[in-house]
Amino acid sequence: MLLIRGRAGGTALTGTLYERGETAPSFSGAPDEDAPYVWVCDSFYEVESGGQRQQIDGATVNVAFESPVAHGFETREQAIEGAKEHLRTQFARVGVAESDVDIEMQKTDSAAE
């Protein structure tokens, strides 16, 4: 597994990329089990009221979360690019410029989990 994290505005969002040979979670809306790479991450957006209050770039923003997004990819490169795009899009949805999102990746030992 590869954890891919976007950091911006004093907060972070992390998703998981399940790589070839690893078992991705199965749930309603999950991609075809045959996809060799599966990206799973939360999605969120800004709301005027309700939601969860977050501090982003020094401002209080109300954020509502959607069901986790799962996408299947054929190649590792496509999966990583898709994950980065997803993270940048989530921050853009709460007013953070996509160019301000720092992306980091961390390999984990899936056998230990």
Side-chain angles (χ1 to χ4, degrees), residues 22-39:
E22 297 175 332
T23 304
S26 61
F27 54 88
S28 176
D32 185 339
E33 293 176 7
D34 294 333
Y37 298 90
V38 177
W39 165 249

Side-chain angles (χ1 to χ4, degrees), residues 4 15 20 24 32-33 36-37 39 41-43 53 65 69 72-73 75 90-91 103-104 106 108 112:
I4 304 177
R20 187 178 299 279
D32 185 339
E33 293 176 7
Y37 298 90
W39 165 249
C41 189
D42 288 335
S43 294
R53 299 182 78 143
F65 287 84
V69 171
F73 296 92
T75 70
Q90 299 318 298
F91 280 100
I103 306 289
E104 59 188 52
Q106 176 185 354
T108 66

Side-chain angles (χ1 to χ4, degrees), residues 13 41-45 63-69 86 90 93:
L13 175 63
C41 189
D42 288 335
S43 294
F44 56 84
Y45 56 96
V63 176
F65 287 84
E66 298 173 340
S67 298
V69 171
H86 175 83
Q90 299 318 298
R93 293 171 86 184

Side-chain angles (χ1 to χ4, degrees), residues 73-93:
F73 296 92
E74 289 301 314
T75 70
R76 189 173 198 267
E77 293 76 23
Q78 289 173 336
I80 289 172
E81 284 308 309
K84 289 177 179 180
E85 180 65 26
H86 175 83
L87 292 169
R88 290 184 185 110
T89 297
Q90 299 318 298
F91 280 100
R93 293 171 86 184

